[in-house]
Amino acid sequence: MFLTISTTGDEQHPATDLGFLLHKHPDNPFSAKLSYGTAHVLYPEADAERCTAALLLEVDAVALVRRGKGKGRGGAPDAALAQYVNDRPYAASSLLAVALSGVFSSAIRGVCKARPERAAQPMPLRIEVPALPARGGPELVRRLFEPLGWTATVEPVALDSEFPEWGDSRYVRLVLESRTLTLAEGLRHLYVLLPVLDDAKHYWVSPDEVDKLLRAGEGWLPEHPEQKLITSRYLSRRWSLTREAMERLELVRLAEADDSEVEEIDNAVEAETEAEEKPTPLAVRRRDAIVAALKDSGAARVLDLGCGQGQLVQALLKDPGFTEIVGVDVSMRALTIASRRLKLDRMGERQASRVQLFQGSLAYTDKRLKGYDAAVLSEVIEHLDVPRLPALEYTVFGAARPRTVLVTTPNVEYNVLWESLPAGHVRHGDHRFEWTRAQFRTWADTVAERHGYDVAFVPVGPDDPEVGPPTQMAVFSVKNVNEKEAKAA
């Protein structure tokens, strides 16, 4: 990773003052060992008229992995290789931001005993970042930096210069210029916004990150038009931390507007006496969405394929509109637990006549599955190896062929919002894959076309404007026979 900071000067304020402000002498190259590599500071040019300091960060990818990145539960199949083969050693990210704060710690705080008056004064600044990941493109880069007093020149980096028709990558070359900011302000902007643009961090985001954000954002973040996006991305979309940070930023804004201290405003607010309402668990939302979709379809006889421990079967039994409910699972242990949950041995005769549990594999056709109004595959497909999906597809859509099929599966794009889920991991250790919304739609559209179904997509859970809902549901409905005949004609 590479970044340069340049300034210009004159006889009264020579550009080499930059060396004093950064606490790094232009004649003495500086190196510092970090836990994930080595940081070097050197000066390609240094005279009274122009001075440039360069920060070169050599990232040790192996050391980064050994410090714990990628460990934890439920690693994806390609996670072992992905830990080593990525853009971390080359593109500006939270690694470079942490190096900035470590190597230039005094400069970020605006401390300079040798030139205290210079540290407090705006100065001509030019900062260049040759390779910057920008999730949101050049326009987002400008929206983040320009309100802070920067003139931002953003050049998209092509995927391959030899093949311009491939378009641009998600990387840009960034040049920032300003004459109205102090060096400390410029460094603090970079410290916060580099990982925001990358939309990722190389370390676990803990509650003390809120304090770091507020310290670095002092004087500019409370009034920034993109405050919410900056806060959410900087805190790795951990909603509880983001909410805390936003509340504290609002206190800062109110205090400034009232020309008072934050503590005075904070003390004026009465303590919350009522307990906050707990959010509805995703599993409950998913069952509610499935039951609602089944009722909309008019289904009375329902298959729960991959029924697990019987939670959905139990929910369906509560509605007398479902006259026959069959739970199928390959695991006898799961069926035993489901039987206990439903209390089948103590269930009344009339209720017991509505429910049946039996063992079966969705990899093979089974005549017992034919003739039902609807089938549900709730969080099932992701537990199968991808090469086995065609067998399941034929068993359900080709052989059993219910009028309605509901399929739910995790939306992998939403995983960045799970506070307890390390980056790059799937939600459960047994998941063979987790699909994006586009991947799921492609699969569902193909299945529907192949077997004569229409398909609609329903979000389940909070639908985030950037990454979508945590669960995605496809509702398959058999096409009208007359419609099929008309198309054939």
Side-chain angles (χ1 to χ4, degrees), residues 19 32 49-50 91 182 187 207 213 215 260 270 317 373 434 477:
E49 294 182 356
R50 184 174 175 84
T182 65
L187 292 176
L213 173 62
R215 282 197 300 269
S260 58
E270 294 183 5
L317 276 171
D373 300 328
E434 287 180 358
S477 305

Side-chain angles (χ1 to χ4, degrees), residues 250-399:
E250 179 62 12
L251 282 174
V252 171
R253 191 189 67 79
L254 290 173
E256 290 178 350
D258 198 39
D259 195 22
S260 58
E261 297 297 324
V262 171
E263 290 76 11
E264 296 176 21
I265 297 290
D266 201 14
N267 289 337
V269 179
E270 294 183 5
E272 184 66 55
T273 56
E274 297 183 6
E276 293 186 10
E277 184 178 350
K278 292 184 178 180
T280 304
L282 179 59
V284 175
R285 292 191 180 198
R286 187 163 49 238
R287 285 196 295 273
D288 289 347
I290 290 170
V291 172
L294 289 172
K295 294 183 69 138
D296 288 344
S297 73
R301 304 176 66 242
V302 180
L303 293 167
D304 182 7
L305 303 177
C307 66
Q309 298 178 13
Q311 291 94 331
L312 177 60
V313 173
Q314 186 178 43
L316 294 174
L317 276 171
K318 295 177 181 178
D319 190 323
F322 300 111
T323 58
E324 185 177 351
I325 305 147
V326 177
V328 182
D329 204 282
V330 72
S331 168
M332 278 305 302
R333 182 172 179 273
L335 292 171
T336 300
I337 295 173
S339 177
R340 291 173 183 165
R341 175 188 295 276
L342 298 170
K343 301 183 173 124
L344 289 182
D345 56 338
R346 288 177 280 170
M347 188 177 288
E349 183 177 348
R350 184 174 180 179
Q351 187 80 328
S353 67
R354 296 173 57 212
V355 62
Q356 181 184 1
L357 302 177
F358 64 76
Q359 185 182 29
S361 171
L362 300 180
Y364 305 97
T365 57
D366 189 332
K367 63 182 180 181
R368 294 176 296 178
L369 304 182
K370 292 184 178 181
Y372 287 86
D373 300 328
V376 178
L377 292 159
S378 179
E379 310 299 284
V380 171
I381 60 173
E382 65 272 10
H383 291 274
L384 298 178
D385 293 319
V386 173
R388 302 188 69 180
L389 286 179
L392 174 143
E393 174 191 332
Y394 179 74
T395 297
V396 177
F397 295 89

Side-chain angles (χ1 to χ4, degrees), residues 156-288:
V157 176
L159 278 172
D160 192 313
S161 58
E162 298 295 322
F163 299 94
E165 65 273 16
W166 289 0
D168 296 327
S169 68
R170 69 181 184 93
Y171 301 91
V172 299
R173 176 179 177 269
L174 174 64
V175 178
L176 298 172
E177 295 179 289
S178 175
R179 305 185 71 87
T180 62
L181 297 169
T182 65
L183 177 63
E185 289 172 330
L187 292 176
R188 287 198 293 268
H189 296 165
L190 288 174
Y191 174 74
V192 173
L193 297 180
L194 289 181
V196 166
L197 283 166
D198 188 26
D199 200 10
K201 284 200 170 184
H202 70 279
Y203 58 89
W204 173 246
V205 174
S206 57
D208 64 351
E209 289 293 302
V210 175
D211 294 326
K212 293 180 185 178
L213 173 62
L214 296 184
R215 282 197 300 269
E218 184 178 358
W220 62 271
L221 185 54
E223 301 297 333
H224 198 291
E226 298 292 340
Q227 177 199 105
K228 186 174 182 179
L229 181 144
I230 293 170
T231 304
S232 175
R233 285 194 178 190
Y234 182 87
L235 297 171
S236 295
R237 303 176 189 270
R238 292 190 61 184
W239 67 267
S240 60
L241 297 185
T242 301
R243 182 178 62 184
E244 177 188 345
M246 294 295 291
E247 289 173 351
R248 290 171 62 179
L249 285 167
E250 179 62 12
L251 282 174
V252 171
R253 191 189 67 79
L254 290 173
E256 290 178 350
D258 198 39
D259 195 22
S260 58
E261 297 297 324
V262 171
E263 290 76 11
E264 296 176 21
I265 297 290
D266 201 14
N267 289 337
V269 179
E270 294 183 5
E272 184 66 55
T273 56
E274 297 183 6
E276 293 186 10
E277 184 178 350
K278 292 184 178 180
T280 304
L282 179 59
V284 175
R285 292 191 180 198
R286 187 163 49 238
R287 285 196 295 273
D288 289 347

Side-chain angles (χ1 to χ4, degrees), residues 406-463:
L406 307 182
V407 181
T408 74
T409 192
N411 167 23
V412 71
E413 297 169 77
Y414 193 89
N415 286 359
V416 295
L417 300 185
W418 290 116
E419 296 185 20
S420 59
L421 185 64
H425 287 63
V426 292
R427 298 183 197 175
H428 189 281
D430 190 50
H431 285 187
R432 302 302 197 265
F433 62 86
E434 287 180 358
W435 278 336
T436 64
R437 287 168 290 173
Q439 289 172 318
F440 183 52
R441 283 174 177 266
T442 298
W443 176 81
D445 287 338
T446 302
V447 170
E449 180 65 26
R450 185 179 292 132
H451 296 283
Y453 282 79
D454 291 316
V455 61
F457 300 92
V458 179
V460 179
D463 198 354

